[in-house]
Amino acid sequence: MTPMIYTLYGFAIFFFVFWCGIWILHLVAILYGKYKLHNKVSLIPGDVPYPGVSIIKPLMGVDPNLFSNLETFFTMSYPKYELLFCIEDDTDPAIMLVNSLMEKYPSIDTRLFLGGSDVGVNPKINNMNKAYEAAAYDFILVSDSGIRMKEDTLLDMMNCMKENVALVHQMPFTCDREGFAATLEKIYFGTALARNYLFADFLCINCHTGMSTLLRKSVLDEVGGMKAFGCYLAEDFFLAKTFLDKGWKIRISSQPAMQNCGVCEVNNFQARLTRWAKLRVAMLPLIILLEPLSECMVIGASAAWAAGFLFQWDSLAFYLVHVLVWFICDWILLSIVQNGLLPFNKFDFVIGWLFRECSGPYLFLHALFDPAIKWRTRVYKLSWGGVAQEVKPRIKF
């Protein structure tokens, strides 16, 4: 055989083996999701005191769901916690909203921090640092503004905080909302993200996202506190990496983080996906090769060619069966993550799923060729390793 034939055989074997690995990933995510998610929350034994929790909520601006989202933190059944709201701009309308909630629930220990700090390029860290340093308890829950809590969510997270665990995080998901953008978000977070998230947690790989994170303040203080991560935009990844490097475990809660932002648009959602892809590429350059291949349409076409080349199978039939089975597995996984009836019918799922799967590779390529990261009104440039530098001047929208 010629060198070209050997090369083609090499590529074909690689694609087929990678395709088999992806199906193992599917199976593990479905089984582990069924085992891990939505477990019954048990109370802490009566002779054990409830540890106090300081909940840090960084806010910027107001959306239609913000009041109801924040109110869920005032009505949790956990007996010992404080709420620390952080608002960088003293003219932000979110201040009035927080004050109204403080008046409505005077029994909840609540403080408002204005002005932020200047400890790095990460605006979220800058906004939260004052509250972090003033926190009264050793357990810190960092929760984004769009998160909606159930009454027992904090208890569920604390139940996961064992003696050898320093960080508990929630897998991102979404509340039921109307519209195609909401359907698209739920499909992405319940399939593509959930699949990788659950598989990574099963293998104890760092998959942490910072939307809703419970951590030990004493451990974080040992490495310089929250401000030590102000040089990163993906502070959540590097924070979890630091904990793992120090020998601590990280775990996911059985309840997903329920995102409920009042502004739900396709363009905004795709911009988030592109920004996250840029962060992943800067932190883990191997992603440049592996992530596109993990997409249904890309790996399906590659494996279909490989099956035809190696085994003389019908490539078209192979590809169609691959897409159909992937679709069914995603429906099963989404149903597990949802833990109930989905808010859309199967036709809506087909349209949303096809749109997500076909646009995924394009968004990743867009992230590669436009590495600048736009975050609200600011633009950042990432170096290899994830260290961020803000680009001047700031853009205005």
Side-chain angles (χ1 to χ4, degrees), residues 157-188:
M157 298 181 77
M158 284 300 303
N159 283 339
C160 297
M161 186 64 78
K162 308 301 183 183
E163 291 185 359
N164 63 341
V165 176
L167 188 151
V168 176
H169 53 115
Q170 292 184 276
M171 184 181 76
F173 195 47
T174 64
C175 293
D176 295 347
R177 293 170 292 174
E178 295 182 355
F180 177 72
T183 299
L184 184 62
E185 286 192 14
K186 187 172 285 286
I187 289 172
Y188 169 76

PDB file of all heavy atoms in Angstrom, residues 157-188:
ATOM      1  N   MET A 157     -27.198  21.495  48.283  1.00  0.00           N
ATOM      2  CA  MET A 157     -25.789  21.783  48.042  1.00  0.00           C
ATOM      3  C   MET A 157     -24.954  21.519  49.289  1.00  0.00           C
ATOM      4  O   MET A 157     -23.841  20.972  49.207  1.00  0.00           O
ATOM      5  CB  MET A 157     -25.620  23.229  47.566  1.00  0.00           C
ATOM      6  CG  MET A 157     -26.327  23.535  46.255  1.00  0.00           C
ATOM      7  SD  MET A 157     -26.094  25.235  45.677  1.00  0.00           S
ATOM      8  CE  MET A 157     -24.416  25.145  45.024  1.00  0.00           C
ATOM      9  N   MET A 158     -25.469  21.889  50.457  1.00  0.00           N
ATOM     10  CA  MET A 158     -24.725  21.661  51.699  1.00  0.00           C
ATOM     11  C   MET A 158     -24.597  20.173  51.996  1.00  0.00           C
ATOM     12  O   MET A 158     -23.594  19.735  52.567  1.00  0.00           O
ATOM     13  CB  MET A 158     -25.409  22.371  52.864  1.00  0.00           C
ATOM     14  CG  MET A 158     -25.192  23.880  52.888  1.00  0.00           C
ATOM     15  SD  MET A 158     -23.450  24.373  53.005  1.00  0.00           S
ATOM     16  CE  MET A 158     -22.934  23.552  54.516  1.00  0.00           C
ATOM     17  N   ASN A 159     -25.590  19.381  51.596  1.00  0.00           N
ATOM     18  CA  ASN A 159     -25.495  17.933  51.803  1.00  0.00           C
ATOM     19  C   ASN A 159     -24.359  17.317  50.988  1.00  0.00           C
ATOM     20  O   ASN A 159     -23.838  16.260  51.338  1.00  0.00           O
ATOM     21  CB  ASN A 159     -26.810  17.258  51.431  1.00  0.00           C
ATOM     22  CG  ASN A 159     -27.878  17.436  52.505  1.00  0.00           C
ATOM     23  OD1 ASN A 159     -27.569  17.706  53.659  1.00  0.00           O
ATOM     24  ND2 ASN A 159     -29.138  17.289  52.130  1.00  0.00           N
ATOM     25  N   CYS A 160     -23.994  17.975  49.883  1.00  0.00           N
ATOM     26  CA  CYS A 160     -22.886  17.496  49.045  1.00  0.00           C
ATOM     27  C   CYS A 160     -21.532  17.946  49.567  1.00  0.00           C
ATOM     28  O   CYS A 160     -20.487  17.462  49.099  1.00  0.00           O
ATOM     29  CB  CYS A 160     -23.058  17.993  47.605  1.00  0.00           C
ATOM     30  SG  CYS A 160     -24.543  17.393  46.769  1.00  0.00           S
ATOM     31  N   MET A 161     -21.526  18.872  50.523  1.00  0.00           N
ATOM     32  CA  MET A 161     -20.278  19.431  51.035  1.00  0.00           C
ATOM     33  C   MET A 161     -19.728  18.524  52.150  1.00  0.00           C
ATOM     34  O   MET A 161     -19.901  18.793  53.342  1.00  0.00           O
ATOM     35  CB  MET A 161     -20.511  20.854  51.551  1.00  0.00           C
ATOM     36  CG  MET A 161     -19.252  21.590  51.975  1.00  0.00           C
ATOM     37  SD  MET A 161     -18.072  21.893  50.655  1.00  0.00           S
ATOM     38  CE  MET A 161     -18.826  23.290  49.810  1.00  0.00           C
ATOM     39  N   LYS A 162     -19.086  17.430  51.737  1.00  0.00           N
ATOM     40  CA  LYS A 162     -18.500  16.490  52.687  1.00  0.00           C
ATOM     41  C   LYS A 162     -17.171  17.031  53.211  1.00  0.00           C
ATOM     42  O   LYS A 162     -16.691  18.078  52.784  1.00  0.00           O
ATOM     43  CB  LYS A 162     -18.308  15.128  52.025  1.00  0.00           C
ATOM     44  CG  LYS A 162     -19.560  14.575  51.354  1.00  0.00           C
ATOM     45  CD  LYS A 162     -20.713  14.400  52.319  1.00  0.00           C
ATOM     46  CE  LYS A 162     -21.928  13.785  51.645  1.00  0.00           C
ATOM     47  NZ  LYS A 162     -23.092  13.676  52.566  1.00  0.00           N
ATOM     48  N   GLU A 163     -16.556  16.278  54.130  1.00  0.00           N
ATOM     49  CA  GLU A 163     -15.330  16.753  54.776  1.00  0.00           C
ATOM     50  C   GLU A 163     -14.177  16.933  53.799  1.00  0.00           C
ATOM     51  O   GLU A 163     -13.313  17.778  54.005  1.00  0.00           O
ATOM     52  CB  GLU A 163     -14.919  15.777  55.885  1.00  0.00           C
ATOM     53  CG  GLU A 163     -15.864  15.787  57.086  1.00  0.00           C
ATOM     54  CD  GLU A 163     -15.358  14.900  58.208  1.00  0.00           C
ATOM     55  OE1 GLU A 163     -14.281  14.278  58.024  1.00  0.00           O
ATOM     56  OE2 GLU A 163     -16.013  14.830  59.253  1.00  0.00           O
ATOM     57  N   ASN A 164     -14.146  16.131  52.731  1.00  0.00           N
ATOM     58  CA  ASN A 164     -13.049  16.226  51.758  1.00  0.00           C
ATOM     59  C   ASN A 164     -13.411  17.061  50.540  1.00  0.00           C
ATOM     60  O   ASN A 164     -12.665  17.100  49.567  1.00  0.00           O
ATOM     61  CB  ASN A 164     -12.621  14.831  51.314  1.00  0.00           C
ATOM     62  CG  ASN A 164     -13.742  14.076  50.595  1.00  0.00           C
ATOM     63  OD1 ASN A 164     -14.912  14.424  50.732  1.00  0.00           O
ATOM     64  ND2 ASN A 164     -13.381  13.050  49.848  1.00  0.00           N
ATOM     65  N   VAL A 165     -14.564  17.721  50.586  1.00  0.00           N
ATOM     66  CA  VAL A 165     -15.059  18.531  49.467  1.00  0.00           C
ATOM     67  C   VAL A 165     -14.927  20.002  49.815  1.00  0.00           C
ATOM     68  O   VAL A 165     -15.299  20.432  50.910  1.00  0.00           O
ATOM     69  CB  VAL A 165     -16.529  18.183  49.137  1.00  0.00           C
ATOM     70  CG1 VAL A 165     -17.067  19.097  48.042  1.00  0.00           C
ATOM     71  CG2 VAL A 165     -16.650  16.723  48.719  1.00  0.00           C
ATOM     72  N   ALA A 166     -14.403  20.790  48.890  1.00  0.00           N
ATOM     73  CA  ALA A 166     -14.244  22.230  49.117  1.00  0.00           C
ATOM     74  C   ALA A 166     -15.120  23.059  48.196  1.00  0.00           C
ATOM     75  O   ALA A 166     -15.245  24.263  48.392  1.00  0.00           O
ATOM     76  CB  ALA A 166     -12.785  22.649  48.933  1.00  0.00           C
ATOM     77  N   LEU A 167     -15.730  22.440  47.190  1.00  0.00           N
ATOM     78  CA  LEU A 167     -16.527  23.204  46.228  1.00  0.00           C
ATOM     79  C   LEU A 167     -17.659  22.336  45.696  1.00  0.00           C
ATOM     80  O   LEU A 167     -17.423  21.201  45.266  1.00  0.00           O
ATOM     81  CB  LEU A 167     -15.634  23.695  45.081  1.00  0.00           C
ATOM     82  CG  LEU A 167     -16.227  24.658  44.060  1.00  0.00           C
ATOM     83  CD1 LEU A 167     -15.119  25.560  43.485  1.00  0.00           C
ATOM     84  CD2 LEU A 167     -16.924  23.941  42.910  1.00  0.00           C
ATOM     85  N   VAL A 168     -18.874  22.879  45.755  1.00  0.00           N
ATOM     86  CA  VAL A 168     -20.057  22.218  45.194  1.00  0.00           C
ATOM     87  C   VAL A 168     -20.684  23.174  44.193  1.00  0.00           C
ATOM     88  O   VAL A 168     -20.939  24.341  44.520  1.00  0.00           O
ATOM     89  CB  VAL A 168     -21.081  21.855  46.288  1.00  0.00           C
ATOM     90  CG1 VAL A 168     -22.345  21.261  45.654  1.00  0.00           C
ATOM     91  CG2 VAL A 168     -20.479  20.876  47.289  1.00  0.00           C
ATOM     92  N   HIS A 169     -20.919  22.705  42.985  1.00  0.00           N
ATOM     93  CA  HIS A 169     -21.487  23.586  41.969  1.00  0.00           C
ATOM     94  C   HIS A 169     -22.711  22.931  41.334  1.00  0.00           C
ATOM     95  O   HIS A 169     -22.879  21.704  41.387  1.00  0.00           O
ATOM     96  CB  HIS A 169     -20.457  23.936  40.891  1.00  0.00           C
ATOM     97  CG  HIS A 169     -19.799  22.758  40.258  1.00  0.00           C
ATOM     98  ND1 HIS A 169     -19.950  22.423  38.935  1.00  0.00           N
ATOM     99  CD2 HIS A 169     -18.955  21.811  40.773  1.00  0.00           C
ATOM    100  CE1 HIS A 169     -19.244  21.345  38.649  1.00  0.00           C
ATOM    101  NE2 HIS A 169     -18.626  20.956  39.750  1.00  0.00           N
ATOM    102  N   GLN A 170     -23.551  23.766  40.758  1.00  0.00           N
ATOM    103  CA  GLN A 170     -24.746  23.287  40.089  1.00  0.00           C
ATOM    104  C   GLN A 170     -24.528  23.244  38.582  1.00  0.00           C
ATOM    105  O   GLN A 170     -23.958  24.169  38.003  1.00  0.00           O
ATOM    106  CB  GLN A 170     -25.940  24.199  40.398  1.00  0.00           C
ATOM    107  CG  GLN A 170     -26.409  24.141  41.846  1.00  0.00           C
ATOM    108  CD  GLN A 170     -27.653  24.995  42.043  1.00  0.00           C
ATOM    109  OE1 GLN A 170     -27.550  26.204  42.243  1.00  0.00           O
ATOM    110  NE2 GLN A 170     -28.816  24.367  41.990  1.00  0.00           N
ATOM    111  N   MET A 171     -25.016  22.190  37.959  1.00  0.00           N
ATOM    112  CA  MET A 171     -24.959  22.098  36.501  1.00  0.00           C
ATOM    113  C   MET A 171     -25.940  23.094  35.901  1.00  0.00           C
ATOM    114  O   MET A 171     -27.104  23.117  36.267  1.00  0.00           O
ATOM    115  CB  MET A 171     -25.319  20.679  36.054  1.00  0.00           C
ATOM    116  CG  MET A 171     -25.193  20.468  34.558  1.00  0.00           C
ATOM    117  SD  MET A 171     -25.656  18.802  34.062  1.00  0.00           S
ATOM    118  CE  MET A 171     -27.456  18.930  34.171  1.00  0.00           C
ATOM    119  N   PRO A 172     -25.506  23.945  34.976  1.00  0.00           N
ATOM    120  CA  PRO A 172     -26.410  24.958  34.411  1.00  0.00           C
ATOM    121  C   PRO A 172     -27.585  24.335  33.649  1.00  0.00           C
ATOM    122  O   PRO A 172     -27.417  23.399  32.874  1.00  0.00           O
ATOM    123  CB  PRO A 172     -25.502  25.748  33.454  1.00  0.00           C
ATOM    124  CG  PRO A 172     -24.113  25.497  33.946  1.00  0.00           C
ATOM    125  CD  PRO A 172     -24.132  24.104  34.482  1.00  0.00           C
ATOM    126  N   PHE A 173     -28.773  24.871  33.892  1.00  0.00           N
ATOM    127  CA  PHE A 173     -29.977  24.502  33.150  1.00  0.00           C
ATOM    128  C   PHE A 173     -30.856  25.743  33.089  1.00  0.00           C
ATOM    129  O   PHE A 173     -30.407  26.844  33.438  1.00  0.00           O
ATOM    130  CB  PHE A 173     -30.681  23.327  33.832  1.00  0.00           C
ATOM    131  CG  PHE A 173     -31.714  22.652  32.982  1.00  0.00           C
ATOM    132  CD1 PHE A 173     -31.437  22.303  31.669  1.00  0.00           C
ATOM    133  CD2 PHE A 173     -32.973  22.344  33.489  1.00  0.00           C
ATOM    134  CE1 PHE A 173     -32.388  21.663  30.880  1.00  0.00           C
ATOM    135  CE2 PHE A 173     -33.924  21.708  32.717  1.00  0.00           C
ATOM    136  CZ  PHE A 173     -33.624  21.369  31.405  1.00  0.00           C
ATOM    137  N   THR A 174     -32.081  25.638  32.631  1.00  0.00           N
ATOM    138  CA  THR A 174     -32.940  26.816  32.499  1.00  0.00           C
ATOM    139  C   THR A 174     -34.347  26.523  33.007  1.00  0.00           C
ATOM    140  O   THR A 174     -34.819  25.378  32.979  1.00  0.00           O
ATOM    141  CB  THR A 174     -33.048  27.272  31.031  1.00  0.00           C
ATOM    142  OG1 THR A 174     -33.680  26.248  30.262  1.00  0.00           O
ATOM    143  CG2 THR A 174     -31.687  27.580  30.445  1.00  0.00           C
ATOM    144  N   CYS A 175     -35.016  27.581  33.461  1.00  0.00           N
ATOM    145  CA  CYS A 175     -36.434  27.487  33.810  1.00  0.00           C
ATOM    146  C   CYS A 175     -37.272  27.394  32.532  1.00  0.00           C
ATOM    147  O   CYS A 175     -36.803  27.701  31.436  1.00  0.00           O
ATOM    148  CB  CYS A 175     -36.856  28.715  34.622  1.00  0.00           C
ATOM    149  SG  CYS A 175     -36.108  28.817  36.265  1.00  0.00           S
ATOM    150  N   ASP A 176     -38.512  26.989  32.691  1.00  0.00           N
ATOM    151  CA  ASP A 176     -39.433  26.926  31.559  1.00  0.00           C
ATOM    152  C   ASP A 176     -39.860  28.335  31.175  1.00  0.00           C
ATOM    153  O   ASP A 176     -40.402  29.079  32.005  1.00  0.00           O
ATOM    154  CB  ASP A 176     -40.671  26.098  31.924  1.00  0.00           C
ATOM    155  CG  ASP A 176     -40.337  24.643  32.184  1.00  0.00           C
ATOM    156  OD1 ASP A 176     -39.216  24.226  31.843  1.00  0.00           O
ATOM    157  OD2 ASP A 176     -41.197  23.930  32.731  1.00  0.00           O
ATOM    158  N   ARG A 177     -39.591  28.703  29.940  1.00  0.00           N
ATOM    159  CA  ARG A 177     -39.994  30.013  29.419  1.00  0.00           C
ATOM    160  C   ARG A 177     -40.535  29.830  27.996  1.00  0.00           C
ATOM    161  O   ARG A 177     -40.340  28.776  27.381  1.00  0.00           O
ATOM    162  CB  ARG A 177     -38.807  30.980  29.412  1.00  0.00           C
ATOM    163  CG  ARG A 177     -38.308  31.361  30.803  1.00  0.00           C
ATOM    164  CD  ARG A 177     -36.987  32.113  30.741  1.00  0.00           C
ATOM    165  NE  ARG A 177     -35.907  31.248  30.274  1.00  0.00           N
ATOM    166  CZ  ARG A 177     -34.679  31.667  30.019  1.00  0.00           C
ATOM    167  NH1 ARG A 177     -34.370  32.949  30.169  1.00  0.00           N
ATOM    168  NH2 ARG A 177     -33.752  30.829  29.605  1.00  0.00           N
ATOM    169  N   GLU A 178     -41.184  30.843  27.488  1.00  0.00           N
ATOM    170  CA  GLU A 178     -41.803  30.751  26.182  1.00  0.00           C
ATOM    171  C   GLU A 178     -40.882  31.308  25.101  1.00  0.00           C
ATOM    172  O   GLU A 178     -40.029  32.152  25.365  1.00  0.00           O
ATOM    173  CB  GLU A 178     -43.139  31.507  26.174  1.00  0.00           C
ATOM    174  CG  GLU A 178     -44.200  30.913  27.100  1.00  0.00           C
ATOM    175  CD  GLU A 178     -45.512  31.668  27.015  1.00  0.00           C
ATOM    176  OE1 GLU A 178     -45.558  32.713  26.309  1.00  0.00           O
ATOM    177  OE2 GLU A 178     -46.493  31.226  27.636  1.00  0.00           O
ATOM    178  N   GLY A 179     -41.082  30.833  23.876  1.00  0.00           N
ATOM    179  CA  GLY A 179     -40.334  31.356  22.737  1.00  0.00           C
ATOM    180  C   GLY A 179     -39.266  30.403  22.246  1.00  0.00           C
ATOM    181  O   GLY A 179     -38.803  29.506  22.963  1.00  0.00           O
ATOM    182  N   PHE A 180     -38.844  30.604  20.980  1.00  0.00           N
ATOM    183  CA  PHE A 180     -37.847  29.723  20.370  1.00  0.00           C
ATOM    184  C   PHE A 180     -36.501  29.835  21.068  1.00  0.00           C
ATOM    185  O   PHE A 180     -35.803  28.831  21.247  1.00  0.00           O
ATOM    186  CB  PHE A 180     -37.695  30.067  18.883  1.00  0.00           C
ATOM    187  CG  PHE A 180     -36.642  29.256  18.190  1.00  0.00           C
ATOM    188  CD1 PHE A 180     -36.841  27.915  17.913  1.00  0.00           C
ATOM    189  CD2 PHE A 180     -35.423  29.834  17.828  1.00  0.00           C
ATOM    190  CE1 PHE A 180     -35.859  27.159  17.290  1.00  0.00           C
ATOM    191  CE2 PHE A 180     -34.444  29.083  17.199  1.00  0.00           C
ATOM    192  CZ  PHE A 180     -34.665  27.742  16.926  1.00  0.00           C
ATOM    193  N   ALA A 181     -36.117  31.045  21.472  1.00  0.00           N
ATOM    194  CA  ALA A 181     -34.828  31.223  22.146  1.00  0.00           C
ATOM    195  C   ALA A 181     -34.787  30.433  23.453  1.00  0.00           C
ATOM    196  O   ALA A 181     -33.760  29.820  23.782  1.00  0.00           O
ATOM    197  CB  ALA A 181     -34.562  32.699  22.404  1.00  0.00           C
ATOM    198  N   ALA A 182     -35.891  30.441  24.193  1.00  0.00           N
ATOM    199  CA  ALA A 182     -35.958  29.683  25.441  1.00  0.00           C
ATOM    200  C   ALA A 182     -35.863  28.186  25.175  1.00  0.00           C
ATOM    201  O   ALA A 182     -35.201  27.440  25.914  1.00  0.00           O
ATOM    202  CB  ALA A 182     -37.238  30.011  26.182  1.00  0.00           C
ATOM    203  N   THR A 183     -36.530  27.735  24.103  1.00  0.00           N
ATOM    204  CA  THR A 183     -36.435  26.323  23.720  1.00  0.00           C
ATOM    205  C   THR A 183     -35.007  25.954  23.356  1.00  0.00           C
ATOM    206  O   THR A 183     -34.489  24.912  23.759  1.00  0.00           O
ATOM    207  CB  THR A 183     -37.371  26.040  22.529  1.00  0.00           C
ATOM    208  OG1 THR A 183     -38.722  26.314  22.915  1.00  0.00           O
ATOM    209  CG2 THR A 183     -37.261  24.603  22.072  1.00  0.00           C
ATOM    210  N   LEU A 184     -34.353  26.822  22.601  1.00  0.00           N
ATOM    211  CA  LEU A 184     -32.974  26.581  22.180  1.00  0.00           C
ATOM    212  C   LEU A 184     -32.041  26.496  23.383  1.00  0.00           C
ATOM    213  O   LEU A 184     -31.170  25.610  23.459  1.00  0.00           O
ATOM    214  CB  LEU A 184     -32.532  27.696  21.236  1.00  0.00           C
ATOM    215  CG  LEU A 184     -31.142  27.578  20.602  1.00  0.00           C
ATOM    216  CD1 LEU A 184     -31.065  26.333  19.733  1.00  0.00           C
ATOM    217  CD2 LEU A 184     -30.826  28.827  19.782  1.00  0.00           C
ATOM    218  N   GLU A 185     -32.207  27.398  24.338  1.00  0.00           N
ATOM    219  CA  GLU A 185     -31.375  27.381  25.535  1.00  0.00           C
ATOM    220  C   GLU A 185     -31.574  26.095  26.323  1.00  0.00           C
ATOM    221  O   GLU A 185     -30.606  25.467  26.775  1.00  0.00           O
ATOM    222  CB  GLU A 185     -31.687  28.589  26.415  1.00  0.00           C
ATOM    223  CG  GLU A 185     -31.151  29.908  25.887  1.00  0.00           C
ATOM    224  CD  GLU A 185     -31.228  31.016  26.917  1.00  0.00           C
ATOM    225  OE1 GLU A 185     -31.452  30.707  28.108  1.00  0.00           O
ATOM    226  OE2 GLU A 185     -31.058  32.183  26.542  1.00  0.00           O
ATOM    227  N   LYS A 186     -32.829  25.700  26.511  1.00  0.00           N
ATOM    228  CA  LYS A 186     -33.097  24.490  27.295  1.00  0.00           C
ATOM    229  C   LYS A 186     -32.515  23.255  26.604  1.00  0.00           C
ATOM    230  O   LYS A 186     -31.966  22.365  27.261  1.00  0.00           O
ATOM    231  CB  LYS A 186     -34.603  24.315  27.519  1.00  0.00           C
ATOM    232  CG  LYS A 186     -34.949  23.170  28.462  1.00  0.00           C
ATOM    233  CD  LYS A 186     -36.421  23.158  28.806  1.00  0.00           C
ATOM    234  CE  LYS A 186     -36.790  24.239  29.789  1.00  0.00           C
ATOM    235  NZ  LYS A 186     -36.315  23.916  31.170  1.00  0.00           N
ATOM    236  N   ILE A 187     -32.607  23.208  25.274  1.00  0.00           N
ATOM    237  CA  ILE A 187     -32.050  22.081  24.540  1.00  0.00           C
ATOM    238  C   ILE A 187     -30.533  22.036  24.685  1.00  0.00           C
ATOM    239  O   ILE A 187     -29.948  20.975  24.937  1.00  0.00           O
ATOM    240  CB  ILE A 187     -32.460  22.156  23.055  1.00  0.00           C
ATOM    241  CG1 ILE A 187     -33.947  21.856  22.906  1.00  0.00           C
ATOM    242  CG2 ILE A 187     -31.632  21.199  22.203  1.00  0.00           C
ATOM    243  CD1 ILE A 187     -34.494  22.085  21.517  1.00  0.00           C
ATOM    244  N   TYR A 188     -29.871  23.178  24.559  1.00  0.00           N
ATOM    245  CA  TYR A 188     -28.414  23.193  24.680  1.00  0.00           C
ATOM    246  C   TYR A 188     -27.970  22.766  26.079  1.00  0.00           C
ATOM    247  O   TYR A 188     -27.114  21.882  26.232  1.00  0.00           O
ATOM    248  CB  TYR A 188     -27.864  24.587  24.369  1.00  0.00           C
ATOM    249  CG  TYR A 188     -26.401  24.716  24.736  1.00  0.00           C
ATOM    250  CD1 TYR A 188     -25.417  24.142  23.944  1.00  0.00           C
ATOM    251  CD2 TYR A 188     -26.008  25.378  25.903  1.00  0.00           C
ATOM    252  CE1 TYR A 188     -24.076  24.217  24.290  1.00  0.00           C
ATOM    253  CE2 TYR A 188     -24.677  25.459  26.264  1.00  0.00           C
ATOM    254  CZ  TYR A 188     -23.714  24.876  25.452  1.00  0.00           C
ATOM    255  OH  TYR A 188     -22.386  24.952  25.803  1.00  0.00           O
TER     256      TYR A 188
END
